[in-house]
Amino acid sequence: MGSLRDQNVVVIGGSRGVGRSIVEAALSEGASVLAVARGAAALKELSWEASGVKTLALDATKETAPEAVFAALEPDVLVISAGALAPSAPVQEQSWEIFSANWETDVKASFLFCKAALHGRLKPRSRVILISSGAAHSGGPPNSGGYAGAKRMQIFLAGHSQKESDRLGLGLRFMALSPARIMPGTGVGDRGIDSIAAYMGIRPADFLASMTDMQTPADVGQAVVALATAKPQGSSFVVSGSGLAAAA
């Protein structure tokens, strides 16, 4: 315990689901934690239930978001876990607005914060962790629109940002972490389970029964702590029920 003592951890999308588990894991390791999310009500609930957490209600896709966040707490570890729910209709039934939702949220927020970091807004040895998805590796189901592509772009963005940090001598560490399996009990997971099961014409329980080696949100939180406190090689990682590993 205490591996993040005297460290500032900022979690974008930290009010619920996987983001909240990351907040809780960082708090348990002694970090000062700022949870950022759009919903003030969810942040207020978090502050009641997670002693010591700081909160900031903010839309992470706004151009001014990085400056506002860094003014509230300068992070040693920055985690981008915010994102939209994936679409849940056959591709031919989606509008471009629906298809591109995850590009306009998950990717845009990641881009803005990585860009700010590369412009010198984070001190050397700061770590930036983008929460991607196993869909980035598998392609995801055919009714999930641009979700898998957006999550893959987060992996590319972490790699591109690391190369730029190295080229510029910034001393920053950029990583992408993909939970390998869908997770019940989270907003994204429950929506995905219901929509995939409906698309396949089976019960959600039967879809879940077909899944193996599933990780929990708490596993993701612990994986983030591990990435933030160790010095793993590479920029892309996967966490499953079997633990944390470099992406193939």
Side-chain angles (χ1 to χ4, degrees):
M1 302 294 286
S3 64
L4 290 172
R5 192 169 302 281
D6 300 323
Q7 299 275 292
N8 292 337
V9 176
V10 173
V11 183
I12 309 298
S15 65
R16 60 183 68 188
V18 168
R20 176 169 174 149
S21 290
I22 295 168
V23 166
E24 292 168 347
L27 286 170
S28 73
E29 292 296 331
S32 296
V33 181
L34 174 67
V36 181
R38 292 184 185 186
L43 287 171
K44 188 173 184 180
E45 181 179 345
L46 173 66
S47 67
W48 288 338
E49 298 175 355
S51 177
V53 68
K54 304 175 180 69
T55 62
L56 176 64
L58 176 144
D59 182 349
T61 67
K62 299 296 185 183
E63 295 285 339
T64 56
E67 287 301 319
V69 169
F70 299 156
L73 186 70
E74 183 179 18
D76 299 288
V77 181
L78 171 65
V79 184
I80 312 296
S81 185
L85 295 173
S88 59
V91 64
Q92 70 273 19
E93 296 177 10
Q94 297 177 32
S95 65
W96 174 249
E97 182 180 9
I98 292 171
F99 183 89
S100 64
N102 297 101
W103 286 86
E104 295 292 344
T105 51
D106 311 43
V107 176
K108 186 176 181 181
S110 297
F111 167 77
L112 291 174
F113 280 87
C114 287
K115 179 180 177 179
L118 291 169
H119 273 297
R121 285 297 288 114
L122 297 184
K123 57 184 176 288
R125 295 184 295 279
S126 297
R127 287 82 77 202
V128 180
I129 302 172
L130 310 181
I131 303 301
S132 181
S133 168
H137 302 275
S138 69
N143 66 328
S144 59
Y147 178 77
K151 304 314 279 186
R152 186 70 178 177
M153 188 64 233
Q154 288 181 296
I155 296 173
F156 291 149
L157 183 59
H160 296 336
S161 297
Q162 186 61 61
K163 290 175 182 177
E164 278 301 287
S165 174
D166 295 343
R167 184 179 71 87
L168 297 170
L170 299 178
L172 303 175
R173 185 83 166 90
F174 292 87
M175 294 166 277
L177 175 64
S178 301
R181 301 285 183 266
I182 201 163
M183 286 177 283
T186 66
V188 172
D190 289 341
R191 163 77 171 264
I193 290 163
D194 289 344
S195 66
I196 295 168
Y199 184 81
M200 297 173 65
I202 63 176
R203 297 182 306 159
D206 293 332
F207 171 72
L208 274 177
S210 71
M211 303 293 289
T212 60
D213 202 23
M214 294 174 66
Q215 77 290 326
T216 67
D219 293 330
V220 181
Q222 289 305 312
V224 167
V225 170
L227 292 177
T229 56
K231 295 182 178 180
Q233 296 296 311
S235 62
S236 180
F237 301 88
V238 176
V239 58
S240 67
S242 300
L244 177 65

